[in-house]
Amino acid sequence: RFVGALLSHFYQHDDHVQKDTELQRWISEIFTYGFLGRDSSGIPSSFQTLKELIKFVTMVIFTASAQHAAVNNGQFDFGGWMPNYPTALRKPPPKEKGKTTENTILETLPDVRTTVHGMAVLKLLSKDSADHYPLGYFPEKLYDEEFPCKLIEDFQKDLRELSDLNKKRNKKLELPYTYLNPKNVDNSVAI
């Protein structure tokens, strides 16, 4: 809703999208250099409609925020126990079920040094960044017009409500799920 309302404010008609040369150059550059001009990528080479623009911008925001949080935020919790996420194997994995012994597992899994290095990398990647800004919150004021400011305020309110709902649901769980709580989702990838 937020992306659609904001972009519809600036682009009232499809021809506004089509005639925005900077916007068209932006998507053309992404298509050409980011996706090597491959039509099979599903990335448009130009925007013809406001609906296409809204879909693409929503996808970019989702990928750099919620999807990244879903993949990143729990990686140490899962991968910190090395058998879940070995960073290397010293032997090929078994090819047949039921033939593995404790000895073959220990011979296959990485040595302690490799394990510690892998865990250190996972811990570093999972750590909150020093410049963490939760989804919907911005360190600088991006707009001064009333309409965009109201949209941002409404979006932040929706995110607070989602966060409260997440907190309420987690009270009932033995192991709380916090990775996609809006408070824990960065505005963008911060590596």
Side-chain angles (χ1 to χ4, degrees):
R1 286 188 330 226
F2 171 73
V3 173
L6 185 62
L7 291 175
S8 296
H9 176 73
F10 294 105
Y11 299 99
Q12 288 84 30
H13 305 288
D14 291 343
D15 64 319
H16 293 162
V17 171
Q18 294 165 8
K19 291 177 181 176
D20 185 331
T21 57
E22 286 184 49
L23 180 65
Q24 296 300 335
R25 276 193 298 251
W26 177 67
I27 192 60
S28 177
E29 187 174 307
I30 290 170
F31 176 76
T32 303
Y33 300 107
F35 292 88
L36 304 175
R38 293 188 189 131
D39 290 323
S40 62
S41 69
I43 301 299
S45 59
S46 65
F47 292 123
Q48 298 304 310
T49 67
L50 176 58
K51 187 176 178 180
E52 288 175 340
L53 175 61
I54 291 168
K55 180 181 176 182
F56 185 80
V57 171
T58 301
M59 179 189 70
V60 169
I61 292 170
F62 172 79
T63 301
S65 61
Q67 185 178 28
H68 182 261
V71 172
N72 181 69
N73 290 358
Q75 67 184 344
F76 184 78
D77 293 345
F78 181 75
W81 192 64
M82 184 272 308
N84 278 346
Y85 213 58
T87 55
L89 294 177
R90 294 184 290 172
K91 288 186 172 185
K95 293 181 181 175
E96 296 178 43
K97 286 188 177 234
K99 302 270 182 174
T100 306
T101 66
E102 182 179 344
N103 227 19
T104 58
I105 291 172
L106 293 173
E107 290 170 355
T108 302
L109 291 174
D111 60 39
V112 173
R113 180 184 167 138
T114 303
T115 298
V116 169
H117 285 123
M119 289 176 66
V121 168
L122 280 177
K123 186 67 173 172
L124 180 65
L125 290 173
S126 298
K127 192 175 130 181
D128 279 342
S129 62
D131 59 348
H132 169 75
Y133 296 103
L135 183 62
Y137 293 87
F138 312 101
E140 66 277 338
K141 191 172 181 176
L142 300 173
Y143 299 97
D144 55 8
E145 297 172 62
E146 184 179 333
F147 183 74
C149 289
K150 176 71 172 123
L151 283 177
I152 291 170
E153 186 180 304
D154 291 346
F155 183 51
Q156 290 172 342
K157 180 180 175 261
D158 290 346
L159 291 170
R160 280 191 304 274
E161 289 172 3
L162 279 171
S163 187
D164 291 344
L165 178 62
N166 182 271
K167 189 175 181 180
K168 182 179 174 182
R169 285 180 178 169
N170 277 332
K171 285 183 181 178
K172 299 174 189 172
L173 300 175
E174 185 178 333
L175 182 62
Y177 184 82
T178 60
Y179 306 136
L180 289 178
N181 184 321
K183 291 178 179 178
N184 299 332
V185 174
D186 277 318
N187 249 343
S188 66
V189 178
I191 292 181

